[in-house]
Amino acid sequence: MFSSLKGFTSNINSNYTVAQHTTSTAGPWKIYDATNKKTKKPCSVFVFEKKSLDAHGSSLSRSSAAAFKRTTEEVVERLKKEASSLARLRHPSVLELVEPVEDTRGGGLQFATEPVTASLADLLAQKDDQERSGGVGGRSSRYVTEEADGTRRRRDLEIDELEIQKGLLQVSKALEFLHETAGLVHGNLTPEAILVNSKSDWKISGLGFCSPPENSTKPTSVQPISLSEVLNLDSRLPKFVQLNLNYTSPDFVLDNNLNPSADMFSLGLLCVALYNSPHRSPIEANASVSAYKRLFNSSSTVPNLQNDFLASRPLPRDLSAHVLPRLITRRAAQRMTAKEFQESEYFDNILVSTIRFLDGFPAKTPNEKASFMKGLNKVLPSFPKSVMERKILPALLEELKERDLLSLILQNIFKIIELLPSSKRAFSEKVRPRLKEVFVLLAKPQQAQEKDPARDAGLMVVLENTNAIANNCNGKEFKDDILPILVVAFESPTPALVDVAMRGLPVILPVLDFSTIKNELFPVVAAVFSKTNSLAIKVRGLQAFVILCGGTNDPSGGDDGLDGFGVEKKKTSSSSALDKYTMQEKIVPLIKAIKTKEPAVAMAALSVLRVVGDVADADFVAMDILPVMWHMSLGPLLDLKQFQSFMELIKTLSRRVEEEQTKKLQELSAGASGNGRALENEDFMAFGGVTGTAFETANGAAEDDFESLVKGKPSVHSSDPMDAGWDAAPAGARASSPPVKSSTAPAFSWSTPSPTTAAANSGGGSVGVIKAQSTFRTVTPDLGRFESLTPSATQFSQPLQPANSTSSTITSPQIPTANPWASAAAPMPPPTSSISSMSIGMDQQRPQMTSGPSSFSLAPPPSASSSTPTGFSLPPPPGGPQRNASSSSFGGSSGFGQPSAFGTASTSSLSSIGSMMGSTAGTGMAAMRPMNSGMGMNSMNSMNKMAGMNSMMGSSNTTGMGMGMTMTGQQQQPQKPAANSKSGLDKYESLI
């Protein structure tokens, strides 16, 4: 800051924040911008530095120095008098004093006043620079001002015709106050004594030479001046601390007469200087009294009507013809007074009259105020921009306290904002804080719930100008100051205000950020939508939801007069729209809660659901949105076109759900196919087989994995039928057999049950029956564990009996039915007398065992319900009717009762039979050798073991071989057995 204030404690330095740089000068004073630390109100600080005087007397002698010191002390006292006089005078056209004058550390002075932009002298100097650089219409004059935080900006200042008229009118009012009310004479009315404040008002200052006039009877505390002392100019002092003879009346210099008319002569010279180029007085005395006197000795050097008042430019006709001749005149009695000056033809125009009416606005009647505000809107475009911004706009903002005129005043305020080129600055600095103060800060909470016609009318004007507000403030300013006003409008009990507030959302949203929209604006709109009983507000709320979700209520782009008040709307960006969660969890439930069936509400809700449906998840659309739409579409008041609109959107959203769900399932199917194809015919009601006998193919195990595991040898797949396992089925039977669903546990039985029993006893099963997809496998027995085959009796001693290893319940024997392999008329064969026939035939008549199930149970006979052949069963003949298979002929007319007597019996069963039957059992065992492939013997080792067993059984092998060959031939080719064809045993005779 300035050096004189550094380190010096004073009231101004303690309570005010003073800028570092000067904004202007006024005579000996330097002007600084300042701000009150407590109230934050701006002001200006005037500082006089005494060292500006000391510099002029530094080279004087000792005697002259003493005289100079006395002179400087007189100057300081005169300047102190100037500030003191401001404290005694209170008038709108006199500079207002905020802090009284005080001494500085360097012997100077300082005081604080209302905010001041510049002095008139500085403005005229800037105007001269402008005209010299570019002539009329050149660069506008600008002044740099510094804020309290150190930021600097430029102010536009203009001096045009209206500005001059307005300023002169204000100066004349100040003179009228001094002359008639205060009883003082200014004495030094110059451009340096006139200051322009922040409202562009001209204020009088520079009262260092003011004095009561001669022979004045009005009491005053101002000490009179001595004209002889004042006119004794000291050349050693700066000119700006002495009387300026260029604007001094001849009454002082020539007549030595101190009267109020002298100020009117100075006012006339000031008028000519305002229009002159350069802007100087027509009298140039050069601070010399003798030079001044010489100028008045000749009429040619004195300004008058004949020489156009020595002006370098043409003066306004009214001013030169009617005003100046009565101001710049030698005789004081012929001069007009300050009041007469205000009533002259010079101020007789609509613009000046408007300003004069506005200055006296508080004293007008309510009807006059209302009429003035209605007509002001038409006159505003004629005003200069500077006058509108600095004079009219602040005056209108001050009058916002008139609640009855709130709407009219706001209309003019927004008109000025529209006309100003620097509207953003004016709105941000002046209008926006005032609007918040009027509608939010000064409003009582209970007033928001009550109807106030004056306030509602003002709010309506603000809402209608939302676009202008959004264009002239940033997001933070809008959120802090304007959004609270909009919330007041949303919560207003007046439906018209709520309607207009919701229509302004397309303009509001682009200015706000996402967090503010979601957390502050949307809850207010949702609350209004939920609580309102007005059908129009319900519809408008739904339209507001569309805007909040990023949509538009006018897809065609037409103007229905309801969106944005006829102004250009800003496109809602995705960043200012609500998120998907809020749409799904907040907006859709509000639509579900709608009770009314009105078509207007339903169609507005359809618009909301259309926007939400484009963003929401597919499952949410299916489970939440589509049911709501179906419910609304069936409303009884909808017409055909409206119903079709619902159906169109329902179909569109349904297709979207279908496509996304299909895509999802396809992706899941593609992922599952990598781990193995699912079984298409899998019975999900099946519970699997018995533990230890079932192998699931889903786990990737092959059928021969277990055998390879227990034998410790790698599995080798071979096409040789001799390599087949015990449970391998013939190729023909396996290829042609359909899948059989059987998950029941197998049961052991010596005889094959009848079809009736097999059908009824579904819990039984056979190891020879293969489940679909090879779910079951027979376990290859360990032949090494067989005991030695020592018969307990001779073959003729007693009939064959099963071992009583387990207790069982004996049921009645099953009566065999017709043989499916014989002809229809073939009778039952008589029982054979051979021991083999007896041993095998007894199985047919042996009672059925009902003990617990065994893994080596016999398979049920082929029937209509279960005809799948296994490795141990005979396939049905190709052609011919399906007969009961309770018994079969062995070689045509054999007495064997069951076709599976050898085909399905386990190795352990055959071993037991062989031990009891002696050599006859060998016949049955030898009969099994040609059926290696059907018995599931999948290694040559097993065949060798069986061959060894046959060699010990005697000479009955030939008979068993013949029987086996007959049965094998009957099994593979039941209709045409080849007489000369070799059996399976002959083919592998060398192995035996």
Side-chain angles (χ1 to χ4, degrees):
M1 207 185 73
F2 38 86
S3 60
S4 62
L5 297 182
K6 288 183 179 180
F8 183 74
T9 302
S10 67
N11 188 42
I12 295 177
N13 293 341
S14 301
N15 300 329
Y16 292 86
T17 302
V18 185
Q20 299 290 330
H21 306 279
T22 61
T23 59
S24 182
T25 58
W29 303 98
K30 293 181 179 180
I31 304 175
Y32 296 85
D33 287 338
T35 304
N36 191 304
K37 294 180 180 179
K38 295 181 180 180
T39 63
K40 304 301 180 182
K41 290 184 177 180
C43 65
S44 294
V45 175
F46 287 67
V47 178
F48 166 72
E49 297 179 2
K50 190 177 180 181
K51 63 181 182 179
S52 62
L53 301 178
D54 296 341
H56 291 77
S58 58
S59 59
L60 299 178
S61 60
R62 179 171 299 181
S63 59
S64 300
F68 180 77
K69 183 177 180 181
R70 289 192 300 270
T71 304
T72 56
E73 291 176 354
E74 293 177 1
V75 170
V76 171
E77 290 297 325
R78 187 166 61 247
L79 295 178
K80 187 178 293 187
K81 173 187 175 183
E82 177 179 347
S84 301
S85 300
L86 292 176
R88 300 185 183 98
L89 302 175
R90 293 290 181 180
H91 189 269
S93 296
V94 176
L95 186 64
E96 178 183 359
L97 187 69
V98 176
E99 292 291 342
V101 64
E102 60 186 23
D103 297 329
T104 63
R105 170 166 301 191
L109 303 173
Q110 65 179 2
F111 62 93
T113 67
E114 61 178 300
V116 173
T117 301
S119 66
L120 183 59
D122 279 354
L123 289 180
L124 294 178
Q126 292 291 329
K127 191 72 172 178
D128 291 339
D129 294 340
Q130 171 193 344
E131 294 174 354
R132 283 194 298 266
S133 61
V136 179
R139 185 182 63 84
S140 300
S141 59
R142 298 175 182 271
Y143 281 85
V144 176
T145 60
E146 184 174 358
E147 303 295 341
D149 57 357
T151 59
R152 305 183 69 189
R153 62 181 179 83
R154 293 182 178 272
R155 287 181 184 167
D156 294 333
L157 296 174
E158 298 180 7
I159 299 180
D160 51 22
E161 179 70 20
L162 182 62
E163 191 76 31
I164 293 174
Q165 289 180 336
K166 176 184 69 68
L168 290 176
L169 185 63
Q170 292 171 338
V171 170
S172 64
K173 290 180 179 180
L175 292 177
E176 179 185 3
F177 167 76
L178 289 176
H179 297 165
E180 298 181 4
T181 303
L184 297 175
V185 177
H186 189 280
N188 192 28
L189 187 61
T190 64
E192 287 82 4
I194 298 175
L195 299 172
V196 182
N197 68 359
S198 58
K199 297 180 181 180
S200 190
D201 291 333
W202 291 15
K203 301 294 186 78
I204 282 183
S205 181
L207 298 175
F209 295 95
C210 72
S211 172
E214 295 178 358
N215 304 323
S216 175
T217 57
K218 292 183 179 181
T220 180
S221 59
V222 178
Q223 296 295 326
I225 62 173
S226 172
L227 288 178
S228 59
E229 295 180 0
V230 170
L231 293 175
N232 186 14
L233 301 179
D234 192 339
S235 58
R236 296 173 298 178
L237 295 175
K239 295 180 179 179
F240 51 76
V241 297
Q242 304 184 68
L243 188 66
N244 190 348
L245 296 180
N246 292 345
Y247 291 92
T248 300
S249 170
D251 299 344
F252 284 3
V253 180
L254 302 179
D255 301 335
N256 199 19
N257 184 12
L258 187 62
N259 58 72
S261 297
D263 291 337
M264 300 307 297
F265 187 91
S266 300
L267 180 61
L269 296 177
L270 180 63
C271 291
V272 177
L274 291 173
Y275 290 99
N276 209 356
S277 181
H279 297 81
R280 294 196 296 262
S281 171
I283 298 177
E284 295 183 6
N286 296 322
S288 172
V289 175
S290 59
Y292 184 91
K293 293 179 179 179
R294 286 196 300 269
L295 291 175
F296 275 87
N297 290 333
S298 172
S299 59
S300 60
T301 57
V302 175
N304 52 58
L305 183 58
Q306 287 72 24
N307 56 18
D308 294 330
F309 300 96
L310 300 176
S312 59
R313 287 182 180 176
L315 300 175
R317 182 175 180 278
D318 292 334
L319 181 64
S320 60
H322 303 92
V323 177
L324 292 181
R326 297 186 59 188
L327 291 178
I328 305 177
T329 178
R330 179 68 178 81
R331 297 181 180 274
Q334 296 178 350
R335 301 172 192 147
M336 61 174 58
T337 61
K339 189 174 184 179
E340 293 174 345
F341 177 78
Q342 299 171 34
E343 298 173 353
S344 64
E345 294 85 349
Y346 175 62
F347 300 106
D348 189 11
N349 62 75
I350 186 64
L351 300 183
V352 176
S353 300
T354 300
I355 293 175
R356 295 177 66 177
F357 189 96
L358 195 59
D359 290 338
F361 193 80
K364 306 298 180 181
T365 63
N367 291 334
E368 291 175 342
K369 292 179 180 179
S371 299
F372 173 79
M373 290 298 172
K374 291 178 181 178
L376 179 61
N377 199 276
K378 301 177 182 179
V379 180
L380 283 176
S382 301
F383 279 95
K385 303 302 185 292
S386 60
V387 176
M388 282 194 298
E389 180 179 355
R390 296 182 178 86
K391 176 61 181 178
I392 301 178
L393 182 60
L396 294 178
L397 293 174
E398 286 292 331
E399 298 302 328
L400 284 177
K401 58 183 178 289
E402 296 282 347
R403 296 185 60 84
D404 295 337
L405 301 175
L406 198 58
S407 62
L408 295 175
I409 295 174
L410 287 173
Q411 289 177 5
N412 289 294
I413 289 175
F414 284 107
K415 182 69 174 181
I416 293 175
I417 295 299
E418 178 184 349
L419 295 173
L420 289 179
S422 57
S423 58
K424 191 169 186 178
R425 184 187 68 188
F427 182 84
S428 178
E429 294 179 355
K430 301 175 182 179
V431 179
R432 177 174 49 81
R434 184 61 176 161
L435 290 178
K436 182 179 180 181
E437 181 181 356
V438 171
F439 292 106
V440 179
L441 300 180
L442 298 181
K444 297 180 181 180
Q446 62 271 16
Q447 291 179 348
Q449 306 299 329
E450 300 176 358
K451 287 190 175 182
D452 186 350
R455 184 204 62 180
D456 292 347
L459 270 177
M460 183 67 71
V461 176
V462 174
L463 296 176
E464 290 175 348
N465 290 274
T466 306
N467 189 65
I469 294 175
N471 290 332
N472 288 286
C473 61
N474 55 39
K476 185 179 185 305
E477 294 172 346
F478 195 97
K479 175 184 176 181
D480 295 341
D481 296 338
I482 304 302
L483 186 59
I485 301 176
L486 298 178
V487 172
V488 172
F490 277 115
E491 298 176 349
S492 173
T494 305
L497 278 178
V498 181
D499 179 75
V500 177
M502 289 188 174
R503 289 190 309 182
L505 286 179
V507 180
I508 298 171
L509 294 187
V511 186
L512 299 175
D513 57 88
F514 169 77
S515 177
T516 303
I517 295 174
K518 179 179 179 179
N519 301 324
E520 299 184 27
L521 182 60
F522 170 71
V524 177
V525 179
V528 173
F529 175 81
S530 302
K531 297 177 182 178
T532 184
N533 295 323
S534 172
L535 182 63
I537 298 302
K538 210 77 171 178
V539 174
R540 194 65 71 188
L542 291 170
Q543 294 177 354
F545 288 154
V546 173
I547 301 300
L548 288 171
C549 294
T552 176
N553 290 309
D554 187 17
S556 61
D559 184 10
D560 59 359
L562 299 177
D563 49 357
F565 328 109
V567 298
E568 181 182 356
K569 296 182 296 182
K570 295 182 178 179
K571 179 177 175 53
T572 303
S573 62
S574 59
S575 61
S576 62
L578 293 175
D579 59 314
K580 181 172 65 176
Y581 172 81
T582 305
M583 296 181 194
Q584 295 182 174
E585 303 298 331
K586 303 294 184 181
I587 293 182
V588 174
L590 291 175
I591 297 178
K592 287 183 180 179
I594 295 177
K595 303 298 183 182
T596 180
K597 303 295 183 181
E598 289 293 330
V601 177
M603 298 308 295
L606 178 65
S607 300
V608 180
L609 295 177
R610 177 180 288 108
V611 179
V612 177
D614 293 338
V615 182
D617 299 328
D619 55 349
F620 184 85
V621 172
M623 304 300 294
D624 292 87
I625 295 181
L626 287 177
V628 175
M629 295 181 62
W630 274 112
H631 177 74
M632 288 186 173
S633 66
L634 301 179
L637 302 180
L638 295 181
D639 57 20
L640 177 60
K641 184 177 180 181
Q642 293 169 341
F643 174 75
Q644 290 175 347
S645 299
F646 270 95
M647 294 307 302
E648 180 182 357
L649 183 57
I650 289 175
K651 293 176 182 178
T652 301
L653 295 180
S654 299
R655 284 194 299 270
R656 176 195 164 195
V657 174
E658 178 184 0
E659 292 173 357
E660 293 191 12
Q661 186 67 13
T662 302
K663 182 179 179 181
K664 183 188 299 183
L665 294 178
Q666 289 175 350
E667 293 176 352
L668 291 176
S669 300
S673 63
N675 298 326
R677 186 174 59 88
L679 298 178
E680 298 179 357
N681 297 327
E682 183 178 356
D683 186 1
F684 291 98
M685 295 303 294
F687 297 95
V690 179
T691 304
T693 63
F695 294 89
E696 297 293 339
T697 59
N699 60 9
E703 294 183 0
D704 57 351
D705 286 349
F706 179 77
E707 185 175 352
S708 301
L709 176 65
V710 297
K711 290 185 177 183
K713 295 181 179 181
S715 176
V716 178
H717 297 278
S718 174
S719 60
D720 192 345
M722 295 301 294
D723 294 338
W726 286 88
D727 57 347
R734 185 175 301 181
S736 62
S737 60
V740 177
K741 297 181 180 179
S742 176
S743 61
T744 58
F748 178 80
S749 178
W750 285 101
S751 63
T752 303
S754 63
T756 306
T757 306
N761 188 14
S762 60
S766 173
V767 295
V769 180
I770 301 176
K771 191 179 178 181
Q773 277 77 30
S774 302
T775 304
F776 291 98
R777 288 186 60 205
T778 58
V779 180
T780 304
D782 188 1
L783 299 181
R785 296 182 58 187
F786 286 177
E787 298 178 0
S788 59
L789 301 177
T790 304
S792 61
T794 63
Q795 57 183 346
F796 302 104
S797 61
Q798 58 182 358
L800 296 175
Q801 295 292 335
N804 294 328
S805 60
T806 57
S807 61
S808 61
T809 303
I810 303 175
T811 61
S812 60
Q814 300 295 328
I815 300 174
T817 58
N819 185 5
W821 299 99
S823 61
M828 291 295 295
T832 175
S833 60
S834 65
I835 301 301
S836 300
S837 301
M838 291 175 61
S839 63
I840 299 177
M842 289 180 66
D843 292 341
Q844 180 179 356
Q845 299 179 358
R846 192 172 301 278
Q848 182 179 2
M849 308 301 291
T850 60
S851 60
S854 172
S855 61
F856 293 92
S857 61
L858 298 178
S863 61
S865 61
S866 178
S867 61
T868 304
T870 65
F872 289 90
S873 62
L874 296 177
Q882 185 73 19
R883 296 188 180 95
N884 196 335
S886 61
S887 65
S888 63
S889 61
F890 199 40
S893 60
S894 175
F896 293 157
Q898 294 292 339
S900 60
F902 294 107
T904 61
S906 64
T907 308
S908 61
S909 300
L910 293 175
S911 177
S912 300
I913 295 173
S915 65
M916 292 183 292
M917 295 179 62
S919 61
T920 308
T923 305
M925 295 299 295
M928 294 179 60
R929 294 185 58 82
M931 300 173 64
N932 286 336
S933 61
M935 295 171 62
M937 299 175 65
N938 52 6
S939 67
M940 292 301 297
N941 187 22
S942 300
M943 294 181 62
N944 293 333
K945 290 182 181 181
M946 294 298 295
M949 292 172 59
N950 290 336
S951 63
M952 293 185 295
M953 291 182 180
S955 62
S956 298
N957 290 339
T958 306
T959 305
M961 185 182 303
M963 294 174 61
M965 291 174 62
T966 305
M967 185 182 70
T968 305
Q970 201 173 25
Q971 177 181 359
Q972 296 178 354
Q973 296 179 357
Q975 291 184 353
K976 296 180 181 181
N980 56 355
S981 62
K982 293 184 179 181
S983 64
L985 184 61
D986 296 334
K987 184 183 299 185
Y988 302 101
E989 187 175 5
S990 61
L991 299 176
I992 301 175

